[in-house]
Amino acid sequence: TPLYSSAASDVYKRQVKTALLADSLVTGADINVDTNHESRTVTLSGEVASAAMRARAEQVAKDNATGYTVVNNLTVRAR
């Protein structure tokens, strides 16, 4: 049902966002998290300070959104 789909998507969005905020390697990053239950995707967008932070954010999202594909649209801030 659409209500369940939306609810499931919202749960993953909260889980991923909370995990990103709690992760010491991505602290302070400006990361937006969007989820789509129909396509089973989590999309990360925004800017991070390094390629390592970009990769870590993707791994955190994958670890917290089982069964979803992570689309990493994060960009590394120019120095």
Side-chain angles (χ1 to χ4, degrees), residues 2 4 6-7 10 14 20-22 25-28 31 33-36 39 42 47 49 53 57-59 67-68 72:
Y4 173 76
S6 177
D10 288 347
R14 279 193 306 274
L20 288 169
L21 290 170
L25 296 177
V26 292
T27 298
I31 300 174
V33 178
D34 290 306
T35 53
N36 184 304
S39 62
V42 173
E47 288 189 341
M53 189 180 284
E58 181 174 341
Q59 188 58 54
Y68 275 53
N72 189 342

Side-chain angles (χ1 to χ4, degrees), residues 8-71:
S9 185
D10 288 347
V11 166
Y12 278 132
K13 182 176 184 172
R14 279 193 306 274
Q15 283 179 330
V16 170
K17 190 67 175 175
T18 299
L20 288 169
L21 290 170
D23 192 285
S24 62
L25 296 177
V26 292
T27 298
D30 181 23
I31 300 174
N32 298 310
V33 178
D34 290 306
T35 53
N36 184 304
H37 185 72
E38 289 75 28
S39 62
R40 299 183 67 77
T41 57
V42 173
T43 303
L44 304 177
S45 60
E47 288 189 341
V48 293
S50 67
M53 189 180 284
R54 183 181 188 275
R56 178 62 185 165
E58 181 174 341
Q59 188 58 54
V60 168
K62 286 179 179 177
D63 291 347
N64 287 277
T66 306
Y68 275 53
T69 299
V70 175
V71 177

